[in-house]
Amino acid sequence: MSATRRPARVGGRRVHGADGDPDAALRSPGRRLLLTSSALVSAVGLLFLVVGSVAAPDPDESRSAVPAVVGAILLATGLSATVSATLPGARVRMLPATTVDGGIELPLRPAHRYSSIGSGVSVLLMGAAIVVLGDDGAARALGAALAIGGAALTVLTARHRPVIRLDPDGLTLPSGPTRNAPIAWRDVVEVAAVGGWRPTLVVTWRGPGLSACFLLPQAWAPSRLVAVIEHFRTHAADRSRLTDPTVLDRIG
C-alpha cells in the first residue's frame, strides 16, 4: 500500500486492496455458514412436508394441513436462499454491461434477483397460511405480521437494482434501496473484495471515505470487478470511453 492510502476496516477486517485474490471473498467461512443454514431450512421444510402429508391422524381427528403447508414454504425459502448465495456460474459472469444515460451499468445475476423475490413471497405465503389455518387469534396475528413483512420484502426486492455504474466522471456503488453519491475517479484510493456471510466490494476514497456493495447480486466475479475499477482508477486517459461497454472487454 502506498503512503497516500489509508487502511480501512469493514466488519473488523483490514481492506488489503487488489493485490490479493478478490475471488477468495466468495469462499469465506461466513458465506459457507449461510449456505449451510439455507440447506438446514430446506431439510426442515422437507421433513414437515413429508410428515404432514403421510402421517395418519387419530381416528377422532381430521388431518391438519398446517405442517405440510409450512413445510412446503420452508422448503421453498431454503432453496431460494441457497440459490441467492450460490457462487455465480461461468456463463452468468459473462453477461454484458449496458450503456445507460452517458455511462455503463454492470450486469446483475438474474438468479439472485428472482430467488430473493421468491424468499419474500415464501414469507408472505407462510403468513397467509397461518392466518387461514391458525387455531387462535395469536396465531392469526403472527401470520398477518409475517404476511405484511413478506409483502414489503417482496416489493423492496423487486424494486431494488443494486447496479454498479461507471462513467467518465466516476463510479457509483449501490447501497440499500438507493445509490450512494458518485465517487470521482480522482478521489478513488483503493478497491478490494472482503469476505463474510455477505461478501462485499469495498472502495475507499479520499476524505477519508468508504463505500461498499454486496457482491452476490453482481454477475461478474469479484476479480473482474476489482480489475475494472482498478484499471480506470489508474488509467485516466481511458475514462472518457466509459460510455461504450466494449471498453471493458479487454479488462479482467
Side-chain angles (χ1 to χ4, degrees):
M1 183 180 298
S2 65
T4 61
R5 296 191 178 186
R6 296 174 180 268
R9 290 183 178 272
V10 177
R13 293 181 175 84
R14 180 180 294 276
V15 176
H16 294 291
D19 54 334
D21 176 15
D23 291 338
L26 295 177
R27 301 189 292 270
S28 64
R31 197 191 66 82
R32 291 188 176 122
L33 178 61
L34 176 61
L35 285 170
T36 301
S37 300
S38 301
L40 180 60
V41 171
S42 299
V44 171
L46 181 61
L47 178 63
F48 270 65
L49 178 61
V50 171
V51 172
S53 300
V54 303
D58 293 336
D60 298 330
E61 296 180 357
S62 59
R63 184 188 302 274
S64 174
V66 173
V69 171
V70 171
I73 295 172
L74 282 176
L75 178 60
T77 302
L79 292 176
S80 294
T82 301
V83 171
S84 178
T86 299
L87 290 171
R91 289 189 303 166
V92 174
R93 278 175 21 197
M94 297 309 295
L95 287 173
T98 55
T99 302
V100 179
D101 297 331
I104 296 172
E105 290 190 348
L106 304 187
L108 299 174
R109 291 176 56 209
H112 183 278
R113 176 178 173 80
Y114 297 144
S115 63
S116 297
I117 294 173
S119 296
V121 172
S122 296
V123 174
L124 188 159
L125 293 176
M126 181 180 294
I130 294 175
V131 169
V132 173
L133 302 174
D135 296 329
D136 54 47
R140 294 191 180 95
L142 174 61
L146 286 173
I148 293 172
L153 179 61
T154 301
V155 171
L156 288 175
T157 303
R159 295 182 61 182
H160 180 42
R161 294 182 66 251
V163 175
I164 298 173
R165 174 186 167 87
L166 311 174
D167 60 48
D169 296 323
L171 75 154
T172 303
L173 298 184
S175 177
T178 60
R179 292 178 179 176
N180 287 336
I183 307 167
W185 287 115
R186 64 178 179 274
D187 293 331
V188 176
V189 174
E190 190 170 29
V191 56
V194 180
W197 74 280
R198 299 190 75 176
T200 306
L201 179 72
V202 177
V203 174
T204 59
W205 38 277
R206 289 183 178 85
L210 183 148
S211 297
C213 70
F214 295 126
L215 283 166
L216 290 177
Q218 305 302 319
W220 287 357
S223 55
R224 190 174 185 197
L225 294 175
V226 169
V228 165
I229 296 173
E230 184 71 8
H231 175 86
F232 291 103
R233 183 188 74 82
T234 57
H235 293 75
D238 291 345
R239 296 170 188 168
S240 62
R241 300 180 59 198
L242 280 171
T243 57
D244 179 7
T246 60
V247 72
L248 306 179
D249 292 344
R250 61 186 177 84
I251 303 172

